[in-house]
């Protein structure tokens, strides 16, 4: 009798987990859109870095280019969403990554350009 009960339990067991169907088209679309957003964020980074450098070389205090950079970075998600209609696929983490890239890239490029401008010839 124990063998019958054991067989019945084994037959009734269902797999614990089944992988969902993977949608290759949706995955590729989102990755392409993220790549385009990354390219736009990189272009914003270069533009903001050059603007920060120009404002500093013009003799303005250091906080003016920093404030201008932060304002442009804060406005960049709005601009990216207007330029790319599929930006609605971005998650909060995707936006955070793009903003972090812009901020730290802006600081790095700004400081690099300042050091190159101040270097003796």
């Amino acid at each position: 009798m124990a063998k019958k009960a054991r067989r019945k339990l084994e037959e009734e067991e269902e797999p614990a987990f089944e992988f969902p169907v993977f949608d290759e088209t949706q995955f590729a679309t989102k990755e392409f859109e993220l790549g385009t957003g990354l390219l736009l964020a990189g272009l914003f980074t270069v533009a903001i870095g050059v603007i920060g450098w120009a404002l500093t070389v013009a003799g303005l205090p250091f906080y003016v280019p920093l404030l201008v950079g932060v304002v442009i970075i804060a406005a960049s998600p709005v601009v990216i969403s207007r330029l790319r209609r599929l930006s609605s696929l971005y998650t909060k983490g995707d936006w955070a990554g793009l903003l972090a890239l812009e901020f730290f890239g802006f600081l790095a490029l700004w400081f690099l350009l300042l050091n190159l401008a101040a270097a003796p010839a």
Side-chain angles (χ1 to χ4, degrees):
M1 191 135 173
K3 284 187 177 184
K4 285 184 181 180
R6 184 177 295 162
R7 283 186 192 157
K8 198 173 194 181
L9 285 176
E10 289 175 0
E11 291 173 5
E12 290 179 6
E13 285 184 24
E14 294 181 17
F17 177 77
E18 290 185 26
F19 286 102
V21 177
F22 184 68
D23 187 4
E24 294 92 1
T25 307
Q26 183 180 9
F27 176 78
T29 302
K30 182 178 179 189
E31 289 302 313
F32 178 74
E33 187 59 38
L34 284 173
T36 307
L38 184 64
L39 182 65
L40 287 172
L43 292 174
F44 278 124
T45 301
V46 171
I48 297 167
V50 170
I51 289 170
W53 169 77
L55 291 175
T56 305
V57 170
L60 296 172
F62 75 93
Y63 57 83
V64 173
L66 183 65
L67 184 63
V68 168
V70 169
V71 167
I72 294 173
I73 290 170
S76 69
V78 174
V79 175
I80 291 174
S81 353
R82 298 245 188 237
L83 292 175
R84 302 296 303 171
R85 66 178 177 84
L86 291 178
S87 65
S88 60
L89 298 174
Y90 295 177
T91 61
K92 289 179 184 178
D94 297 334
W95 284 115
L98 290 177
L99 292 175
L101 169 87
E102 288 179 18
F103 180 72
F104 291 115
F106 152 65
L107 288 179
L109 187 60
W110 181 29
F111 294 158
L112 178 69
L113 291 175
L114 286 176
N115 285 332
L116 291 177

